[in-house]
Amino acid sequence: MPENEFEKKVSSEMQDLRFKPSEQVWLHVEERIKKKKKRRIFVVIFLLAGLSLLGYWQRSNLFGESENSIAKTVQKDSPKESFVTSGEKQKEENSMSAEDTNNNSTIKQNTETTNAEETKNTSDKTADNKLTDDRSVIDKKDIAVSKNEINKPNKSKDEAGKKPGSVKDKKDNKPEASIAIVSANSKTKNNVVDDKSKELITNPETKAKPDEVNPAEVKPEENKIDSAKAGIGEQEKNATTKTDTLLKADQATAPSTPIVTKDPSEKKWKWGLHITPGISSLNDNDISFGRANFADAFAYQNPVGSGTGAPPPPRQKRSDIKAGFAFQAGAFAQRQLSSRTSITLGLQYGYYSNIIHIGNRRDSLINNNQFANVLNGNGNYVYNAGGDTIKYTNHYHFIELPLNFQWQLNKHKTKPFIWSAGFTIGQLIATNAIMYDTAFNGIYHQNKKLLNKTQFSVSTGFSWTIANNKKVQWSLGPVANIHLNKLIDNPFDNKGYLFFVGLRTGILFNQKK
Amino acid sequence: MDTQKLVKECIREIPAAQRQLYDHFAETMLGVCYRYTKSMDDAEDVLQDGFVKVFKNLGQYKFEGELGAWIRRIMVTTALNFLKKNSRYNHDFSFDNENLHPVAYDNPEIKMTAKELADLVRQLPIGYQTIFNLHAVEGFSHVEIGKMLGINEGTSRSQYARARALLISWIKKNDELSHKNYRANYHDKR
């Protein structure tokens, strides 16, 4: 028997070794393989974006948004019927609040009487109390609804006389519009609030009966509103019956309560992240807040550090500026202005660079008095302008606040093609840039006094939505950014305006449940 | 089973395909993991880690060898990492440079099931067990084992020789014991 016979036997025996693993193993494997790979850079960006948006939203929450949720909901539910803007509705409601009070008090009293009568019929006192409590909650809702619904005709009637020809005239000309709003609300919102109303109604007597939940019961509500248009007096007379019927109808169909519930999907602001790799350089654009310089010519006549009286020595010219890698990354919040327009406000980090070719270092000049006094040289590096021996990359790091207006060019709802234009304010936070100077026969040196740290720029771009699902929208498109003021205010170099061209990849989070 | 199609579907993260691949190989691979560890729980932990690696690195599989062999290799590597990192094993998972142990040329007959043999191997010290598995079962050379474990080739040989000798002695004892038991039972019956 050869030496490896034993090994062969063992190996062949062991190949048959099988065990059935427990189901837990697969569950753990499945759980772990579903976790997506997250890259560190995205974690950093998400953290930054999250922090900035948290701050922004916190600020919004502190100061609050004064827009009326009723008007907003009505507008959203029936955009075609709502002729009045949310602001106008707010005004209308404010102006009518005093008039409403009387009507409401009457209605409330009547409702309470009805409740009292109903509670007499029940034997259990605790149940009665509960019912009354519950009812009072419902009553408040009902009154709130009836307040909106019943008083609207009066309001329009009153204001029609005051402002003929205003938008509200249309409303008066088409009185069915207000009814349409109410009916639309009661039909669409009922489903949403139905569960809540069921929770509130604990007494079986007051629970919605199947035969009550039919359109026939809702119709009288509309009729009442029609009749309510006839006038306040008539309305007051009928208030008791109306409230009763409304109460029933509301209990049965769970009335629209736009005042109480606010659908989270109605959030105005969506937020997103973007990363925009590209290239940047410095150029001499015509859009300028700066001034034209002739200092170079002046320097020829009065060369610094080249002696007096003697003709100027041959000067090494400044390097050509080549574009370098750049990118922008950050977070933004987007608000829809209309179906096809929106604005975005963001916070982003911008990295820009450009490349120059320069000569050897001349650090000996740092201790030169003329360099320190005349050139205001405050950097640690001095290079000869000519020579092309060193490829030097100027890096610029910015924190920027872009504000963009977006306009959808196509009509596609899920995959819009968007043109955007905007304005950006940026703050330079770090740079290693060196500037050209004609002194000492042409040098490059650092001089932070020549930097305009606050930058204003305009940007434009297009974006295609390449994927759109319930949670996110992915978009891709080119952007260009031109700075309006000089980044380097160097009298010897007109090329001081930063520009950036890139390909923007954005992800917008749809906040729909 | 169309391996190529299955692998491609797994790369596309289709859950059904992933489950199918797992079901196909899990039992065999648990056998592999069992041989390298001292308990079934540890073996399942290794299996779990191994399959996570398999699914994450399936894109690197070039369809050149058998998929089973590729997965097996991953399981073995995962098991070795587990032994190195786990405190229950890493104390004993050190190999001193030893003199070459004379290799016994005994080739006893193996009259036991795969599980019994595996249980016997698992009774070896963890270093012996690992090297025995790598050489006798997986077929790695001592040079390869040396590289895998970061030890000399000679140490691997020596450890293997000791493991082999110990195992053979146990097999013989086991045989004798079972033979005695058989005879005792035979006489009792008579």
Side-chain angles (χ1 to χ4, degrees):
Chain A
M1 227 176 168
E3 187 206 341
N4 61 358
E5 198 63 32
F6 173 72
E7 282 78 6
K8 277 181 183 173
K9 274 183 178 179
V10 169
S11 181
S12 67
E13 282 284 325
M14 292 291 200
Q15 299 305 323
D16 301 332
L17 192 65
R18 282 165 177 261
F19 297 100
K20 193 171 171 60
S22 65
E23 190 58 28
Q24 286 296 316
V25 178
W26 168 247
L27 292 174
H28 286 124
V29 170
E30 193 181 30
E31 189 185 335
R32 285 171 64 184
I33 58 177
K34 275 183 180 174
K35 283 182 184 170
K36 289 180 182 174
K37 291 174 186 175
K38 290 174 185 173
R39 291 180 183 172
R40 281 183 185 177
I41 191 165
F42 282 108
V43 173
V44 174
I45 290 170
F46 271 83
L47 277 173
L48 259 175
L51 278 172
S52 56
L53 282 170
L54 192 73
Y56 175 77
W57 276 326
Q58 188 63 31
R59 187 179 165 279
S60 301
N61 289 337
L62 280 173
F63 292 104
E65 287 174 301
S66 60
E67 291 187 55
N68 193 330
S69 60
I70 308 164
K72 197 169 71 185
T73 319
V74 168
Q75 216 170 4
K76 192 165 184 179
D77 285 349
S78 54
K80 287 176 184 174
E81 290 104 343
S82 62
F83 298 109
V84 188
T85 61
S86 60
E88 285 169 336
K89 268 197 186 259
Q90 173 93 44
K91 282 179 190 172
E92 281 177 14
E93 293 221 351
N94 290 338
S95 64
M96 289 306 295
S97 58
E99 294 171 36
D100 291 344
T101 317
N102 295 328
N103 299 333
N104 290 340
S105 59
T106 319
I107 295 164
K108 199 170 184 179
Q109 280 167 10
N110 290 328
T111 317
E112 280 165 2
T113 321
T114 318
N115 286 339
E117 284 169 9
E118 280 181 13
T119 47
K120 276 178 191 174
N121 298 331
T122 54
S123 57
D124 191 354
K125 281 185 181 179
T126 49
D128 288 350
N129 291 337
K130 203 171 184 181
L131 172 69
T132 319
D133 289 345
D134 295 337
R135 277 288 170 82
S136 65
V137 176
I138 300 161
D139 289 345
K140 281 175 189 171
K141 285 183 186 176
D142 296 341
I143 291 160
V145 173
S146 60
K147 175 176 143 185
N148 292 327
E149 293 165 355
I150 296 167
N151 292 317
K152 266 177 194 167
N154 305 332
K155 178 172 59 186
S156 59
K157 195 182 177 183
D158 291 344
E159 289 183 6
K162 290 175 189 171
K163 293 178 184 176
S166 68
V167 183
K168 285 157 200 162
D169 284 348
K170 289 179 185 175
K171 197 177 174 183
D172 289 332
N173 293 337
K174 295 177 182 176
E176 64 275 12
S178 63
I179 300 163
I181 292 163
V182 172
S183 60
N185 280 337
S186 57
K187 280 171 189 171
T188 53
K189 287 283 174 181
N190 282 343
N191 298 331
V192 181
V193 196
D194 199 27
D195 291 336
K196 284 192 176 179
S197 66
K198 278 179 184 172
E199 282 172 19
L200 287 168
I201 301 163
T202 49
N203 194 317
E205 281 183 25
T206 56
K207 277 186 182 173
K209 292 170 186 173
D211 56 343
E212 284 176 340
V213 191
N214 76 44
E217 282 288 330
V218 186
K219 273 186 179 177
E221 188 184 357
E222 292 174 13
N223 295 335
K224 267 171 245 116
I225 295 156
D226 271 330
S227 63
K229 286 178 189 171
I232 298 167
E234 199 180 328
Q235 192 184 359
E236 281 176 350
K237 285 176 189 173
N238 298 328
T240 316
T241 50
K242 275 175 197 172
T243 315
D244 286 348
T245 327
L246 275 171
L247 185 68
K248 277 183 185 175
D250 289 339
Q251 283 171 356
T253 57
S256 60
T257 51
I259 312 138
V260 183
T261 54
K262 196 173 180 181
D263 188 354
S265 67
E266 287 176 21
K267 281 179 185 172
K268 288 172 190 173
W269 290 92
K270 289 178 181 179
W271 70 282
L273 300 168
H274 79 92
I275 185 157
T276 314
I279 54 165
S280 67
S281 188
L282 292 171
N283 71 344
D284 47 349
N285 62 357
D286 295 326
I287 313 163
S288 165
F289 291 159
R291 62 192 185 283
N293 288 301
F294 299 97
D296 196 41
F298 177 77
Y300 269 101
Q301 290 164 14
N302 302 284
V304 178
S306 58
T308 51
R315 186 182 307 140
Q316 293 164 333
K317 287 184 177 179
R318 65 176 177 238
S319 164
D320 288 335
I321 298 171
K322 289 180 180 174
F325 172 73
F327 76 91
Q328 297 170 335
F332 61 90
Q334 181 177 313
R335 182 182 171 159
Q336 204 71 24
L337 295 176
S338 70
S339 59
R340 291 175 77 173
T341 57
S342 61
I343 54 162
T344 62
L345 182 68
L347 178 68
Q348 67 187 30
Y349 163 76
Y351 165 77
Y352 308 98
S353 69
N354 60 57
I355 297 160
I356 52 174
H357 288 87
I358 51 177
N360 292 321
R361 284 177 73 161
R362 283 180 72 183
D363 291 349
S364 58
L365 286 175
I366 293 168
N367 297 324
N368 187 311
N369 287 336
Q370 278 187 314
F371 176 75
N373 298 331
V374 182
L375 299 179
N376 289 322
N378 56 1
N380 294 321
Y381 308 108
V382 181
Y383 297 87
N384 276 325
D388 282 6
T389 51
I390 296 171
K391 184 182 166 187
Y392 190 90
T393 306
N394 291 319
H395 306 285
Y396 308 97
H397 305 272
F398 280 90
I399 289 290
E400 297 172 321
L401 285 168
L403 175 68
N404 280 296
F405 175 80
Q406 296 187 320
W407 186 50
Q408 188 181 332
L409 299 176
N410 65 346
K411 289 182 180 178
H412 205 290
K413 283 185 180 176
T414 52
K415 292 188 176 173
F417 173 53
I418 290 167
W419 170 70
S420 67
F423 183 76
T424 304
I425 301 169
Q427 183 69 26
L428 181 70
I429 49 172
T431 183
N432 70 336
I434 51 175
M435 297 90 180
Y436 176 73
D437 199 295
T438 54
F440 302 104
N441 304 330
I443 56 166
Y444 271 93
H445 68 112
Q446 282 188 333
N447 189 347
K448 290 184 178 172
K449 288 174 186 172
L450 295 179
L451 291 165
N452 286 322
K453 290 189 175 176
T454 306
Q455 289 287 300
F456 302 94
S457 61
V458 285
S459 60
T460 186
F462 294 94
S463 72
W464 288 268
T465 301
I466 50 175
N468 190 350
N469 57 38
K470 283 180 183 175
K471 288 181 182 175
V472 290
Q473 278 183 41
W474 292 91
S475 60
L476 189 72
V479 290
N481 193 283
I482 302 162
H483 284 233
L484 298 173
N485 57 334
K486 257 190 163 185
L487 176 61
I488 301 170
D489 200 7
N490 187 356
F492 305 109
D493 196 344
N494 278 334
K495 291 188 173 181
Y497 299 91
L498 194 65
F499 77 92
F500 167 77
V501 181
L503 188 67
R504 181 186 163 104
T505 311
I507 174 171
L508 181 70
F509 298 97
N510 293 324
Q511 292 174 330
K512 287 177 183 174
K513 280 189 173 180
Chain B
M1 185 183 67
D2 184 354
T3 310
Q4 202 161 345
K5 191 185 169 192
L6 186 66
V7 169
K8 282 178 182 172
E9 284 180 351
C10 287
I11 292 167
R12 276 188 273 142
E13 295 180 1
I14 295 169
Q18 288 173 331
R19 180 69 207 230
Q20 196 186 341
L21 185 91
Y22 173 83
D23 285 343
H24 189 78
F25 291 105
E27 289 185 11
T28 316
M29 295 308 151
L30 186 59
V32 174
C33 301
Y34 182 79
R35 281 192 283 108
Y36 283 87
T37 53
K38 299 283 186 194
S39 73
M40 187 55 96
D41 285 345
D42 288 344
E44 287 194 338
D45 283 348
V46 173
L47 183 76
Q48 183 185 311
D49 288 347
F51 265 106
V52 171
K53 280 185 190 172
V54 166
F55 286 119
K56 285 192 173 173
N57 297 292
L58 210 51
Q60 292 173 23
Y61 175 60
K62 305 291 179 196
F63 303 99
E64 284 166 358
E66 271 187 37
L67 179 62
W70 185 78
I71 294 174
R72 191 188 187 93
R73 180 71 191 249
I74 287 177
M75 291 297 165
V76 170
T77 315
T78 310
L80 294 181
N81 287 335
F82 180 83
L83 298 178
K84 284 175 193 170
K85 287 176 185 172
N86 198 302
S87 58
R88 286 200 302 280
Y89 298 97
N90 59 14
H91 293 301
D92 303 322
F93 200 70
S94 57
F95 303 91
D96 298 323
N97 286 335
E98 297 174 45
N99 294 327
L100 192 61
H101 190 274
V103 177
Y105 287 97
D106 283 357
N107 289 307
E109 268 194 70
I110 300 168
K111 295 173 182 173
M112 50 179 70
T113 62
K115 188 176 182 305
E116 284 170 343
L117 185 61
D119 285 339
L120 219 54
V121 172
R122 290 169 82 223
Q123 285 176 31
L124 290 166
I126 191 70
Y128 289 3
Q129 179 189 347
T130 307
I131 290 175
F132 183 84
N133 274 318
L134 290 171
H135 183 69
V137 185
E138 316 299 344
F140 289 111
S141 70
H142 288 294
V143 177
E144 288 172 319
I145 294 168
K147 282 179 185 171
M148 287 164 85
L149 300 177
I151 56 172
N152 293 334
E153 180 194 340
T155 308
S156 174
R157 279 184 194 281
S158 174
Q159 295 265 325
Y160 176 73
R162 286 168 193 273
R164 189 179 190 274
L166 203 57
L167 191 66
I168 286 172
S169 70
W170 287 346
I171 289 170
K172 281 179 178 173
K173 270 186 190 174
N174 196 56
D175 272 357
E176 283 171 15
L177 198 68
S178 60
H179 191 63
K180 276 180 186 172
N181 286 340
Y182 174 77
R183 285 174 66 182
N185 288 337
Y186 182 77
H187 285 297
D188 286 347
K189 280 179 185 174
R190 288 192 73 183

